[in-house]
Structure formats: C-alpha cells, structure tokens
Amino acid sequence: RVRHIGPPDGGWGWMIVAGCFLVTICTRAVTRCISIFFVEFQAYFGQDYARTAWIHSIVDCATMLCAPLGSLISNHVSCQVGIMLGGLLASSGLILSSFATSLEHLYLSLGVLTGLGFALCYSPAIAMVGKYFNKRKALAYGIAMSGSGIGTFILAPVVQLLIEQFSWRGALLILGGFVLNLCVCGALMRPISLKEDRKTVPEFLEQDHVSETEKQDLKQMSICSPLIKVWSRECLCYCSWKEYDFLLMPGFMVLAVSVLFMAYGCSPLFVYLVPYALSVGVSHHQAAFLMSILGVIDIIGNITFGWLTDRRCLKKHRYFCYLFAVGMDGLCCLFLPVLQNFPLLVPFSFTFGYFDGAYVTLIPVMTADVVGTSSLSSALGVVYFLHAIPYLVSPPVAGWLVDTTGSYTASFLLCGFSMIFSSTLLCFARLAKKIKKAHLRSLTNDTVMKQHMWKNGAIAYSVTAELDQKDVEFLAVDTNRCSNR
C-alpha cells in the first residue's frame, strides 16, 4: 500500500485510469450489448417484450444493487481481490448462459450471477480513480468512463457478427471468455493510502480524541487483552459510521432522489433502441450500427465534458453542466417516437450518446464534491445501488406499455419526462440552497449593522453626556461671574 498526503494526480494513477477503462468496457459495454440479444431471445423462447426485458433489467439491477458489496470488499479486503472475484463470477454467468434452456435460466445466470460479478468490479474501480486524482479528476473520469462508449462501438457490430456466425449461444460463450479480462484489470489496482483515510486501529489511536496516556497504555498491552478488543470494536463501529455518515447530508439526499428518476429514464432506451429501429423498417446491421454510433459519441461526451468541466471557467459550474446533460437526454427521448427511419435515428444516436457520456462522467465527480474523497467509495456504492430498482423496473414497464399500446411512444415519453424531472429537481434544490444562503447572509449583515449602530449610539450618547456636563459647568461659571460683578 502506497502512502500519500494527497492524490498524486498522475504517475501510477494513469494505470488506474487504464484499468478502470477496461472495467467499463467489460461491464457497462457488455451490458448494453445484451440488448442485441433481445430479438434472438424473444424469437427462440417465444416470449413477449415484457418477459424478455427482465433479462437486461436483472443484469443492471444486480450490478447496481450489489454495488455497496463491491465497496465493502474494496474497503475492508482489497480492491484487487474484489475486481478479480467479480471477473470470475461475471465470466461464469455468461458461460452458463450459453447453455440456457429457458428464460428463467437466463434470469439466474445472465442476470443475477453476471450482474453480481459486474457489481464487485464497477464501483471499486471508479472509486480508485477518485483516490488518485484531484485537480484533473473530471478528465481522468472522462477517459476512464469512455470505455463504455468505445466498448459499445466495437462490441455492438462484433456481437451481431458473432450471433450470425455462431448463434446466440456461441456469442455468449465468447463474451464469457472476453470478460475474464476483468482479472487483469484487478491486478492493476494498486492500493493507495491518503492522509484523510483513517481505517485501522493504530491509525484510529492517532486521532485527537484519544489521549496520550491511553495511546501509551494500549501500545504496551498485549494484542489479546480485553481492553484492546474493546478498542478494536469501538474502532470498527467508528469507522463503519464514518464510512456512511454522508447519508444524512441534505445535498446527498437530493442527489439520491434525482438519481432514481434519472436511472429510470435512461435504462429502457438501451434495451429498446434496436427493437424500435427494427420495427420502423431499419435492417439488423443498421440497428446495430445505431448502437455503435451511440457508443462512439458516448466516448466524445465522456472525454470532452470531462476536459471542459476541469477548466477554470466551468469547474465551479459542474453541477449545472450535469443538469443540462440529463435534461438534454430527456428531450431526446421525447422526440424519439417521431423519428421513424434510419437517417433520422442517426442524429438521435449522436445527441443522446453525447449527453449520456457527459452526465455519466460527472456522476462520480459530483458525488466526490458532495461527500469528499474519503467517503467516495462508499458513496458511489450507494449511488449505484440506487440505480438498481429503476433499472429492474423500467425495461419491463416499458415492455408492458409496448405490449398494451402496440407502440413505443408511451414508453419513450415516460423515460423523457422522468429524466427532465430529475434535472428539474436538482435545479430547484440548488436554487433553494442559494436563497437560503442569501437569507442567512442578509440576517448576518443585519446583525452586524445593529451591533454597529448600537456601538455608535453608545458613543454618541457618551459624547452628548460629556458635552451636557461641560455646558452645565460653563453656565455655572458664568452665573458666578455675573453675581460678582
């Protein structure tokens, strides 16, 4: 474990960025490409949209639902161990899915097992980038998160080709072997210990609230003594609370609620873009190409937004950049039902992909700004955990709306309004915070002015009293002079 006073902002940190880049390819890009199997699963098992959509929902839900477990293993065991274990589980799930005989089999293997493996890899890898970077954090995250877009751009046509050549079973088997690269990514994650991290018992004893006498006594006593056990238990309780004390922060609460609506809105599009394109007469290769476009523009959004929000002029406005990106993706979803041919769907993929990459890059940056670097791993685990329920519910709900109404309009409108509401909620929260600060500032200024006036009044009163006294003395002298005359 390497010790640093602060994030090094370079050095081995770029290898951490490379490892996180590969993790996002093997997790988020592979999850997106599962939508290409949607039509194959539906035709092979003869099921409707809603039941088939549960596969993608369970993968996403398990990935986000178990994100706190990944953070827990990373914090208390090792980030390297967690990512390697996750790679083995995800690969096993994809390989077992290639032998599936029913949708229920896919729910367990491709959904639960693969999703659990992705969960152990995703949030710890992202948190490691935040520990190694501070000044260039947004740029580092932009490069690391661009793996999702690059992976989608490359894997979407490759997966379509694999399905045509080896059927969906062969394609899943090959993807299972590819995902084993997560073990290599885990090996790159060298742990780092920052000054603000206080997790172990010896470091706990260095805190200010522990007296010097207690420190000397505890160091001299045996490790097996009851007192040391008591202190160890107290240390664990203290560290556990410190890891999650951000849950009571108002800023984090608002962010958490907005994430629920944002996650509901963004998930169905990656499931239904290819089926929707096929339903309006687009060919299979063109539909897969739409996913590739979305993926490559996602990369541009990751890197350019990360670079731009690191500039001095925009660094203070990252919050509103995030709001703008989420709101633009919501508007794109609202316009999607009227785009019913390939030339019109291409600009949609460009726009949606760019802003999707933009706000995905800023999620960990905003989380770090709210909770700080020391709690980033745990906070990201909670943020991605909050994605779980929307990711689980939204694709089947969208599929049910398609089955009921016979079109995709209601599904896409619901997604768009959900994302716009997420952006609006954060906007009102920030405005309320500014109004509250302005009110407190005005109250403070009034108090200062009153104190200033009181002091000036006291001085004026004392000066007036002295003048009155002098006038009385002067009049008395004049009276005596007159009487003497």
PDB file of all heavy atoms in Angstrom, residues 106-129:
ATOM      1  N   LEU A 106     -31.813 -17.901 -17.833  1.00  0.00           N
ATOM      2  CA  LEU A 106     -31.093 -16.669 -18.150  1.00  0.00           C
ATOM      3  C   LEU A 106     -31.238 -15.626 -17.040  1.00  0.00           C
ATOM      4  O   LEU A 106     -30.325 -14.841 -16.796  1.00  0.00           O
ATOM      5  CB  LEU A 106     -31.590 -16.098 -19.475  1.00  0.00           C
ATOM      6  CG  LEU A 106     -31.184 -16.856 -20.741  1.00  0.00           C
ATOM      7  CD1 LEU A 106     -31.889 -16.283 -21.962  1.00  0.00           C
ATOM      8  CD2 LEU A 106     -29.672 -16.813 -20.942  1.00  0.00           C
ATOM      9  N   TYR A 107     -32.410 -15.605 -16.386  1.00  0.00           N
ATOM     10  CA  TYR A 107     -32.587 -14.678 -15.265  1.00  0.00           C
ATOM     11  C   TYR A 107     -31.521 -14.898 -14.199  1.00  0.00           C
ATOM     12  O   TYR A 107     -30.974 -13.936 -13.637  1.00  0.00           O
ATOM     13  CB  TYR A 107     -33.962 -14.864 -14.625  1.00  0.00           C
ATOM     14  CG  TYR A 107     -35.145 -14.470 -15.484  1.00  0.00           C
ATOM     15  CD1 TYR A 107     -36.429 -14.918 -15.172  1.00  0.00           C
ATOM     16  CD2 TYR A 107     -34.989 -13.652 -16.609  1.00  0.00           C
ATOM     17  CE1 TYR A 107     -37.528 -14.569 -15.947  1.00  0.00           C
ATOM     18  CE2 TYR A 107     -36.083 -13.313 -17.394  1.00  0.00           C
ATOM     19  CZ  TYR A 107     -37.353 -13.768 -17.068  1.00  0.00           C
ATOM     20  OH  TYR A 107     -38.434 -13.433 -17.828  1.00  0.00           O
ATOM     21  N   LEU A 108     -31.230 -16.183 -13.914  1.00  0.00           N
ATOM     22  CA  LEU A 108     -30.282 -16.504 -12.844  1.00  0.00           C
ATOM     23  C   LEU A 108     -28.834 -16.358 -13.289  1.00  0.00           C
ATOM     24  O   LEU A 108     -28.009 -15.758 -12.590  1.00  0.00           O
ATOM     25  CB  LEU A 108     -30.530 -17.931 -12.336  1.00  0.00           C
ATOM     26  CG  LEU A 108     -31.846 -18.165 -11.594  1.00  0.00           C
ATOM     27  CD1 LEU A 108     -32.014 -19.648 -11.275  1.00  0.00           C
ATOM     28  CD2 LEU A 108     -31.895 -17.341 -10.316  1.00  0.00           C
ATOM     29  N   SER A 109     -28.511 -16.924 -14.458  1.00  0.00           N
ATOM     30  CA  SER A 109     -27.112 -16.937 -14.897  1.00  0.00           C
ATOM     31  C   SER A 109     -26.687 -15.580 -15.468  1.00  0.00           C
ATOM     32  O   SER A 109     -25.753 -14.938 -14.977  1.00  0.00           O
ATOM     33  CB  SER A 109     -26.883 -18.052 -15.925  1.00  0.00           C
ATOM     34  OG  SER A 109     -27.752 -17.885 -17.042  1.00  0.00           O
ATOM     35  N   LEU A 110     -27.378 -15.143 -16.528  1.00  0.00           N
ATOM     36  CA  LEU A 110     -27.009 -13.886 -17.175  1.00  0.00           C
ATOM     37  C   LEU A 110     -27.422 -12.679 -16.320  1.00  0.00           C
ATOM     38  O   LEU A 110     -26.741 -11.643 -16.330  1.00  0.00           O
ATOM     39  CB  LEU A 110     -27.679 -13.794 -18.552  1.00  0.00           C
ATOM     40  CG  LEU A 110     -27.293 -12.608 -19.448  1.00  0.00           C
ATOM     41  CD1 LEU A 110     -25.792 -12.568 -19.672  1.00  0.00           C
ATOM     42  CD2 LEU A 110     -28.029 -12.692 -20.774  1.00  0.00           C
ATOM     43  N   GLY A 111     -28.511 -12.819 -15.574  1.00  0.00           N
ATOM     44  CA  GLY A 111     -28.992 -11.713 -14.759  1.00  0.00           C
ATOM     45  C   GLY A 111     -28.284 -11.597 -13.427  1.00  0.00           C
ATOM     46  O   GLY A 111     -27.523 -10.656 -13.180  1.00  0.00           O
ATOM     47  N   VAL A 112     -28.511 -12.568 -12.542  1.00  0.00           N
ATOM     48  CA  VAL A 112     -28.023 -12.466 -11.163  1.00  0.00           C
ATOM     49  C   VAL A 112     -26.509 -12.671 -11.079  1.00  0.00           C
ATOM     50  O   VAL A 112     -25.780 -11.844 -10.518  1.00  0.00           O
ATOM     51  CB  VAL A 112     -28.757 -13.483 -10.265  1.00  0.00           C
ATOM     52  CG1 VAL A 112     -28.181 -13.443  -8.852  1.00  0.00           C
ATOM     53  CG2 VAL A 112     -30.250 -13.194 -10.232  1.00  0.00           C
ATOM     54  N   LEU A 113     -26.015 -13.792 -11.632  1.00  0.00           N
ATOM     55  CA  LEU A 113     -24.597 -14.126 -11.464  1.00  0.00           C
ATOM     56  C   LEU A 113     -23.683 -13.134 -12.180  1.00  0.00           C
ATOM     57  O   LEU A 113     -22.713 -12.621 -11.595  1.00  0.00           O
ATOM     58  CB  LEU A 113     -24.341 -15.550 -11.959  1.00  0.00           C
ATOM     59  CG  LEU A 113     -22.968 -16.143 -11.650  1.00  0.00           C
ATOM     60  CD1 LEU A 113     -22.713 -16.152 -10.156  1.00  0.00           C
ATOM     61  CD2 LEU A 113     -22.860 -17.568 -12.213  1.00  0.00           C
ATOM     62  N   THR A 114     -23.991 -12.829 -13.437  1.00  0.00           N
ATOM     63  CA  THR A 114     -23.168 -11.867 -14.179  1.00  0.00           C
ATOM     64  C   THR A 114     -23.288 -10.470 -13.574  1.00  0.00           C
ATOM     65  O   THR A 114     -22.288  -9.748 -13.445  1.00  0.00           O
ATOM     66  CB  THR A 114     -23.593 -11.836 -15.654  1.00  0.00           C
ATOM     67  OG1 THR A 114     -23.445 -13.140 -16.219  1.00  0.00           O
ATOM     68  CG2 THR A 114     -22.737 -10.860 -16.445  1.00  0.00           C
ATOM     69  N   GLY A 115     -24.499 -10.087 -13.178  1.00  0.00           N
ATOM     70  CA  GLY A 115     -24.683  -8.772 -12.554  1.00  0.00           C
ATOM     71  C   GLY A 115     -23.916  -8.644 -11.252  1.00  0.00           C
ATOM     72  O   GLY A 115     -23.329  -7.593 -10.967  1.00  0.00           O
ATOM     73  N   LEU A 116     -23.902  -9.705 -10.442  1.00  0.00           N
ATOM     74  CA  LEU A 116     -23.134  -9.685  -9.194  1.00  0.00           C
ATOM     75  C   LEU A 116     -21.646  -9.516  -9.471  1.00  0.00           C
ATOM     76  O   LEU A 116     -20.943  -8.752  -8.785  1.00  0.00           O
ATOM     77  CB  LEU A 116     -23.384 -10.972  -8.410  1.00  0.00           C
ATOM     78  CG  LEU A 116     -22.562 -11.178  -7.134  1.00  0.00           C
ATOM     79  CD1 LEU A 116     -22.848 -10.061  -6.135  1.00  0.00           C
ATOM     80  CD2 LEU A 116     -22.851 -12.538  -6.516  1.00  0.00           C
ATOM     81  N   GLY A 117     -21.147 -10.215 -10.472  1.00  0.00           N
ATOM     82  CA  GLY A 117     -19.736 -10.077 -10.837  1.00  0.00           C
ATOM     83  C   GLY A 117     -19.394  -8.666 -11.281  1.00  0.00           C
ATOM     84  O   GLY A 117     -18.371  -8.095 -10.877  1.00  0.00           O
ATOM     85  N   PHE A 118     -20.277  -8.070 -12.112  1.00  0.00           N
ATOM     86  CA  PHE A 118     -20.048  -6.689 -12.541  1.00  0.00           C
ATOM     87  C   PHE A 118     -20.062  -5.730 -11.351  1.00  0.00           C
ATOM     88  O   PHE A 118     -19.308  -4.756 -11.315  1.00  0.00           O
ATOM     89  CB  PHE A 118     -21.112  -6.270 -13.554  1.00  0.00           C
ATOM     90  CG  PHE A 118     -20.960  -6.922 -14.909  1.00  0.00           C
ATOM     91  CD1 PHE A 118     -22.005  -6.912 -15.825  1.00  0.00           C
ATOM     92  CD2 PHE A 118     -19.780  -7.542 -15.274  1.00  0.00           C
ATOM     93  CE1 PHE A 118     -21.865  -7.491 -17.070  1.00  0.00           C
ATOM     94  CE2 PHE A 118     -19.625  -8.138 -16.527  1.00  0.00           C
ATOM     95  CZ  PHE A 118     -20.678  -8.103 -17.429  1.00  0.00           C
ATOM     96  N   ALA A 119     -20.929  -5.983 -10.360  1.00  0.00           N
ATOM     97  CA  ALA A 119     -21.030  -5.109  -9.191  1.00  0.00           C
ATOM     98  C   ALA A 119     -19.732  -5.077  -8.392  1.00  0.00           C
ATOM     99  O   ALA A 119     -19.325  -4.025  -7.884  1.00  0.00           O
ATOM    100  CB  ALA A 119     -22.179  -5.555  -8.293  1.00  0.00           C
ATOM    101  N   LEU A 120     -19.078  -6.230  -8.267  1.00  0.00           N
ATOM    102  CA  LEU A 120     -17.832  -6.287  -7.499  1.00  0.00           C
ATOM    103  C   LEU A 120     -16.694  -5.545  -8.196  1.00  0.00           C
ATOM    104  O   LEU A 120     -15.683  -5.230  -7.568  1.00  0.00           O
ATOM    105  CB  LEU A 120     -17.435  -7.746  -7.260  1.00  0.00           C
ATOM    106  CG  LEU A 120     -18.403  -8.601  -6.441  1.00  0.00           C
ATOM    107  CD1 LEU A 120     -17.829  -9.996  -6.231  1.00  0.00           C
ATOM    108  CD2 LEU A 120     -18.709  -7.947  -5.104  1.00  0.00           C
ATOM    109  N   CYS A 121     -16.858  -5.285  -9.498  1.00  0.00           N
ATOM    110  CA  CYS A 121     -15.797  -4.631 -10.268  1.00  0.00           C
ATOM    111  C   CYS A 121     -16.028  -3.140 -10.460  1.00  0.00           C
ATOM    112  O   CYS A 121     -15.086  -2.333 -10.398  1.00  0.00           O
ATOM    113  CB  CYS A 121     -15.673  -5.274 -11.653  1.00  0.00           C
ATOM    114  SG  CYS A 121     -15.318  -7.041 -11.645  1.00  0.00           S
ATOM    115  N   TYR A 122     -17.269  -2.752 -10.689  1.00  0.00           N
ATOM    116  CA  TYR A 122     -17.562  -1.423 -11.234  1.00  0.00           C
ATOM    117  C   TYR A 122     -17.275  -0.284 -10.254  1.00  0.00           C
ATOM    118  O   TYR A 122     -16.414   0.568 -10.503  1.00  0.00           O
ATOM    119  CB  TYR A 122     -19.020  -1.384 -11.703  1.00  0.00           C
ATOM    120  CG  TYR A 122     -19.368  -0.172 -12.522  1.00  0.00           C
ATOM    121  CD1 TYR A 122     -18.640   0.156 -13.658  1.00  0.00           C
ATOM    122  CD2 TYR A 122     -20.423   0.651 -12.158  1.00  0.00           C
ATOM    123  CE1 TYR A 122     -18.969   1.263 -14.418  1.00  0.00           C
ATOM    124  CE2 TYR A 122     -20.759   1.764 -12.910  1.00  0.00           C
ATOM    125  CZ  TYR A 122     -20.029   2.058 -14.042  1.00  0.00           C
ATOM    126  OH  TYR A 122     -20.346   3.167 -14.785  1.00  0.00           O
ATOM    127  N   SER A 123     -17.977  -0.247  -9.120  1.00  0.00           N
ATOM    128  CA  SER A 123     -17.815   0.900  -8.211  1.00  0.00           C
ATOM    129  C   SER A 123     -16.417   0.971  -7.576  1.00  0.00           C
ATOM    130  O   SER A 123     -15.875   2.076  -7.424  1.00  0.00           O
ATOM    131  CB  SER A 123     -18.901   0.891  -7.130  1.00  0.00           C
ATOM    132  OG  SER A 123     -18.897  -0.311  -6.405  1.00  0.00           O
ATOM    133  N   PRO A 124     -15.762  -0.160  -7.192  1.00  0.00           N
ATOM    134  CA  PRO A 124     -14.391  -0.030  -6.663  1.00  0.00           C
ATOM    135  C   PRO A 124     -13.402   0.546  -7.667  1.00  0.00           C
ATOM    136  O   PRO A 124     -12.540   1.352  -7.303  1.00  0.00           O
ATOM    137  CB  PRO A 124     -14.020  -1.473  -6.288  1.00  0.00           C
ATOM    138  CG  PRO A 124     -15.319  -2.154  -6.046  1.00  0.00           C
ATOM    139  CD  PRO A 124     -16.261  -1.554  -7.033  1.00  0.00           C
ATOM    140  N   ALA A 125     -13.530   0.149  -8.948  1.00  0.00           N
ATOM    141  CA  ALA A 125     -12.611   0.678  -9.963  1.00  0.00           C
ATOM    142  C   ALA A 125     -12.801   2.174 -10.146  1.00  0.00           C
ATOM    143  O   ALA A 125     -11.832   2.934 -10.263  1.00  0.00           O
ATOM    144  CB  ALA A 125     -12.830  -0.050 -11.291  1.00  0.00           C
ATOM    145  N   ILE A 126     -14.051   2.628 -10.151  1.00  0.00           N
ATOM    146  CA  ILE A 126     -14.323   4.056 -10.310  1.00  0.00           C
ATOM    147  C   ILE A 126     -13.819   4.835  -9.095  1.00  0.00           C
ATOM    148  O   ILE A 126     -13.253   5.925  -9.221  1.00  0.00           O
ATOM    149  CB  ILE A 126     -15.833   4.281 -10.516  1.00  0.00           C
ATOM    150  CG1 ILE A 126     -16.253   3.667 -11.852  1.00  0.00           C
ATOM    151  CG2 ILE A 126     -16.176   5.759 -10.482  1.00  0.00           C
ATOM    152  CD1 ILE A 126     -17.738   3.697 -12.094  1.00  0.00           C
ATOM    153  N   ALA A 127     -14.024   4.285  -7.896  1.00  0.00           N
ATOM    154  CA  ALA A 127     -13.571   4.958  -6.686  1.00  0.00           C
ATOM    155  C   ALA A 127     -12.045   5.099  -6.657  1.00  0.00           C
ATOM    156  O   ALA A 127     -11.520   6.095  -6.143  1.00  0.00           O
ATOM    157  CB  ALA A 127     -14.054   4.201  -5.453  1.00  0.00           C
ATOM    158  N   MET A 128     -11.321   4.127  -7.195  1.00  0.00           N
ATOM    159  CA  MET A 128      -9.859   4.202  -7.210  1.00  0.00           C
ATOM    160  C   MET A 128      -9.365   5.395  -8.018  1.00  0.00           C
ATOM    161  O   MET A 128      -8.364   6.033  -7.672  1.00  0.00           O
ATOM    162  CB  MET A 128      -9.274   2.904  -7.773  1.00  0.00           C
ATOM    163  CG  MET A 128      -9.320   1.730  -6.816  1.00  0.00           C
ATOM    164  SD  MET A 128      -8.240   1.960  -5.382  1.00  0.00           S
ATOM    165  CE  MET A 128      -6.638   1.797  -6.146  1.00  0.00           C
ATOM    166  N   VAL A 129     -10.058   5.718  -9.112  1.00  0.00           N
ATOM    167  CA  VAL A 129      -9.670   6.886  -9.911  1.00  0.00           C
ATOM    168  C   VAL A 129      -9.791   8.149  -9.069  1.00  0.00           C
ATOM    169  O   VAL A 129      -8.928   9.024  -9.106  1.00  0.00           O
ATOM    170  CB  VAL A 129     -10.547   6.985 -11.174  1.00  0.00           C
ATOM    171  CG1 VAL A 129     -10.205   8.251 -11.960  1.00  0.00           C
ATOM    172  CG2 VAL A 129     -10.341   5.760 -12.061  1.00  0.00           C
TER     173      VAL A 129
END
